[in-house]
């Protein structure tokens, strides 16, 4: 697909339970701008979350990292296949499949649902053309798609168990009104894999930064703490593969010990956060001497210091905890036999995520406060004189503190979540980390 044509793209409106809405999608084509407007209307009018799913043919595949691969027999792959099969007759023939058999699915979940799947999970795709800008246009594996025309699609046949039962076995069904399809399990699995992929991406970045920091620090205790957290990955990966790839997690697969290690790391991070908050509260009013700052935050004035290592260990623990929480929430949703599996999933996820969301928010608050501190050099007999070394040290510390604040997305409001899913000709999938729509 190129940015110059007006290719037709099918779009499904997916509800997580049966809802009665007027057919506001219509049957004619629509632009990306109109689709965005309609998503906002659907999110406002419907009691149940309404997601949209687009299918774009992939003409040129670009290498992308950070995705989670799933087999063709996985619950998510089966849900996508069922949806396409049931709506095939209502989709123009040229839209059913790309010539290569490879398709990029893009599911957009409303902001009010995104708020339930964890704080701080989603950040905009930053523009390389304008400083501080972000992309808002539709994006596929080849880049920005500017002129696609969307064609609404509606389900044709009901499937028993679509609005309740196991997330691995329930199918899709047509809703009573409008071009709406009930597909709670499909939305559940897409969100679950997207959140897990995002958390794994965050874990990888934290491990890289920690490794670099510990090579400079040569701190054995912190290295042991990192290794213990890294040791949890094997059990989490196995559980993720079974749960998201086959639908049932069964036995713990060593998750008990992994969960314990992660919980200990979260506890250590909470203890350190409390100490940081107390240290900030104890700082005097006005400019702070560098030596006073470094006494309370060791190594904060260095490229790789103890404070920064503790910060990255906390981020690593948060990323691992999020992966475990997703697994537990999906397992809980699969065990739910009477209610809506998606509602069960989000409720469980939200309850368990509250503690780590508070931890992450507390860390961000500390970083923001540090980034706004006014600094001064130490008092002494040369109180009125600045050497070049004094100036360089003061500027270096100021720049490092400002960089702490620049890494926090303080001005970003909760936005719709986009989950990109690449489907190969053999039916296998790669689900990429969440991003803003």
């Amino acid at each position: 697909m190129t940015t110059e044509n007006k290719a037709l793209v099918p779009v499904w409106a997916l509800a997580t339970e049966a809802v009665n809405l007027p057919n506001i999608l219509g049957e004619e084509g629509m632009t990306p701008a109109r689709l965005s407007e309609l998503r906002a209307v659907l999110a406002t009018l419907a009691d149940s979350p309404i997601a949209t799913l687009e299918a774009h043919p992939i003409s040129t595949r670009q290498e992308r990292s950070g995705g989670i691969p799933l087999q063709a027999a996985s619950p998510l792959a089966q849900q996508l296949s069922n949806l396409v099969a049931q709506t095939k007759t209502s989709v123009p023939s040229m839209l059913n499949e790309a010539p290569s058999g490879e398709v990029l699915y893009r599911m957009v979940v409303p902001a009010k649902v995104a708020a339930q799947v964890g704080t701080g999970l989603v950040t905009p795709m930053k523009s390389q053309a304008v400083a501080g800008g972000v992309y808002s246009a539709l994006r596929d594996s080849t880049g920005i798609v500017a002129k696609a025309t969307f064609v609404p699609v509606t389900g044709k046949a009901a499937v028993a168990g679509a609005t309740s039962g196991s997330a691995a076995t329930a199918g899709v069904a047509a809703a009573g009104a409008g071009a709406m399809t009930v597909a709670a399990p499909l939305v559940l699995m897409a969100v679950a894999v997207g959140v897990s992929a995002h958390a794994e991406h965050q874990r990888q970045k934290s491990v890289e930064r920690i490794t670099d920091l510990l090579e400079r620090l040569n701190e054995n205790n912190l290295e042991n703490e990192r290794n213990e957290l890294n040791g949890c990955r094997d059990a989490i990966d196995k559980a993720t593969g079974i749960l998201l790839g086959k639908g049932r997690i069964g036995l713990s697969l060593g998750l008990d010990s992994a969960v314990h290690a992660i919980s200990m790391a979260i506890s250590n991070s909470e203890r350190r956060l409390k100490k940081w908050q107390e240290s900030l509260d104890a700082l005097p009013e006005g400019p702070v001497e560098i030596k006073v700052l470094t006494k309370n935050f060791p190594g904060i004035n260095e490229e790789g210091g103890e404070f920064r290592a503790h910060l990255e260990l906390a981020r690593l623990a948060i990323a691992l905890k999020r992966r475990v929480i997703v697994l537990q929430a999906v397992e809980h949703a699969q065990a739910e036999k009477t209610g809506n599996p998606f509602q069960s999933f989000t409720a469980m996820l939200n309850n368990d995520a509250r503690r780590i969301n508070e931890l992450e928010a507390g860390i961000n608050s500390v970083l923001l406060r540090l980034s706004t501190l006014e600094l001064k050099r130490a008092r002494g007999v040369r109180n009125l004189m600045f050497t070049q070394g004094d100036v360089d040290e003061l500027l270096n510390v100021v720049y490092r503190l400002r960089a702490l604040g620049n890494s926090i997305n303080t001005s970003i409001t909760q936005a719709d979540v986009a989950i990109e899913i690449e489907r190969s000709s053999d039916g296998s999938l790669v689900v990429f980390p969440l991003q803003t729509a």
Side-chain angles (χ1 to χ4, degrees):
M1 175 178 288
T2 69
T3 59
E4 300 301 324
N5 61 19
K6 293 186 178 181
L8 296 177
V9 175
V11 57
W12 293 261
L14 305 179
T16 56
E17 59 185 339
V19 291
N20 292 315
L21 287 175
N23 188 6
I24 59 176
L25 290 180
E27 297 180 356
E28 299 179 356
M30 64 184 74
T31 63
R34 175 165 164 72
L35 179 62
S36 179
E37 293 172 356
L38 288 175
R39 272 200 299 260
V41 173
L42 289 170
T44 302
L45 295 180
D47 294 331
S48 173
I50 305 293
T52 57
L53 179 69
E54 308 151 14
H56 303 265
I58 299 178
S59 56
T60 303
R61 184 185 295 273
Q62 291 188 350
E63 189 66 28
R64 292 201 287 175
S65 60
I68 292 182
L70 297 175
Q71 299 294 329
S74 66
L76 179 56
Q78 291 178 355
Q79 293 292 327
L80 280 174
S81 297
N82 290 343
L83 179 68
V84 173
Q86 290 182 21
T87 59
K88 196 167 186 177
T89 57
S90 63
V91 181
S93 58
M94 78 284 289
L95 301 181
N96 287 332
E97 193 172 83
S100 65
E102 298 179 336
V103 180
L104 175 76
Y105 290 98
R106 187 174 189 266
M107 180 179 290
V108 179
V109 182
K112 65 181 181 181
V113 178
Q116 296 175 327
V117 297
T119 302
L121 283 177
V122 183
T123 56
M125 184 176 65
K126 295 182 179 179
S127 170
Q128 302 300 317
V130 180
V134 299
Y135 290 123
S136 61
L138 177 66
R139 175 180 179 271
D140 72 0
S141 60
T142 64
I144 302 299
V145 182
K147 296 182 180 179
T149 298
F150 296 94
V151 180
V153 183
T154 181
K156 292 299 181 183
V159 176
T163 57
S164 64
S166 169
T169 59
V172 295
M180 205 74 61
T181 302
V182 178
L186 175 57
V187 179
L188 185 160
M189 293 306 298
V191 171
V193 185
V195 172
S196 187
H198 183 278
E200 172 59 16
H201 183 61
Q202 296 299 104
R203 185 202 67 81
Q204 291 174 3
K205 291 197 299 183
S206 292
V207 168
E208 291 172 0
R209 290 191 292 257
I210 291 172
T211 300
D212 183 56
L213 288 170
L214 294 185
E215 286 177 354
R216 304 178 191 183
L217 278 174
N218 194 26
E219 176 58 60
N220 291 331
N221 289 336
L222 295 180
E223 187 169 347
N224 291 336
E225 194 171 336
R226 178 204 59 180
N227 292 339
E228 188 171 6
L229 281 174
N230 268 342
C232 302
R233 183 191 172 189
D234 185 53
I236 294 175
D237 284 347
K238 287 180 180 178
T240 301
I242 290 178
L243 184 65
L244 302 180
K246 298 180 181 177
R248 291 292 181 183
I249 195 172
L251 299 177
S252 296
L253 300 173
L255 269 183
D256 289 347
S257 58
V259 170
H260 175 72
I262 295 170
S263 296
M264 290 295 294
I266 292 292
S267 179
N268 287 338
S269 299
E270 290 173 332
R271 175 178 52 80
R272 288 166 182 156
L273 172 61
K274 184 177 181 181
K275 182 179 179 181
W276 294 339
Q277 291 170 331
E278 291 174 347
S279 297
L280 280 171
D281 292 339
L283 290 178
E285 293 289 338
V288 179
E289 292 185 14
I290 294 179
K291 67 177 183 180
V292 174
L293 180 65
T294 55
K295 179 181 178 181
N296 292 285
F297 299 90
I300 196 172
N301 59 325
E302 303 170 4
E303 181 67 25
E306 183 179 321
F307 170 76
R308 295 175 187 272
H310 286 164
L311 180 62
E312 293 304 330
L313 283 170
R315 288 171 171 166
L316 175 58
I318 288 172
L320 288 169
K321 184 66 174 177
R322 281 208 168 108
R323 287 199 66 184
V324 170
I325 287 175
V326 171
L327 296 179
Q328 293 170 334
V330 172
E331 186 178 23
H332 179 77
Q334 289 181 339
E336 180 63 55
K337 299 298 183 183
T338 58
N340 184 318
F342 184 78
Q343 290 181 351
S344 176
F345 167 76
T346 54
M348 181 77 173
L349 194 68
N350 194 36
N351 289 338
D352 286 351
R354 188 175 295 111
R355 181 181 175 189
I356 60 170
N357 288 342
E358 291 175 354
L359 171 61
E360 188 173 48
I363 291 174
N364 286 341
S365 176
V366 166
L367 296 180
L368 187 60
R369 291 175 66 183
L370 285 171
S371 71
T372 58
L373 285 178
E374 294 183 45
L375 298 181
K376 64 180 179 181
R377 66 182 178 89
R379 295 177 181 176
V381 294
R382 297 180 292 112
N383 209 30
L384 299 178
M385 298 176 59
F386 276 91
T387 66
Q388 185 62 45
D390 291 334
V391 174
D392 290 343
E393 180 187 17
L394 191 61
L395 287 176
N396 284 334
V397 179
V398 168
Y399 290 148
R400 296 192 193 284
L401 292 183
R402 297 299 179 268
L404 293 176
N406 293 336
S407 64
I408 307 172
N409 298 307
T410 56
S411 61
I412 297 172
T413 58
Q414 188 68 52
D416 293 349
V417 167
I419 305 165
E420 293 189 345
I421 306 168
E422 285 188 358
R423 183 173 184 264
S424 299
S425 55
D426 62 359
S428 62
L429 308 176
V430 177
V431 184
F432 294 96
L434 304 178
Q435 62 181 16
T436 50

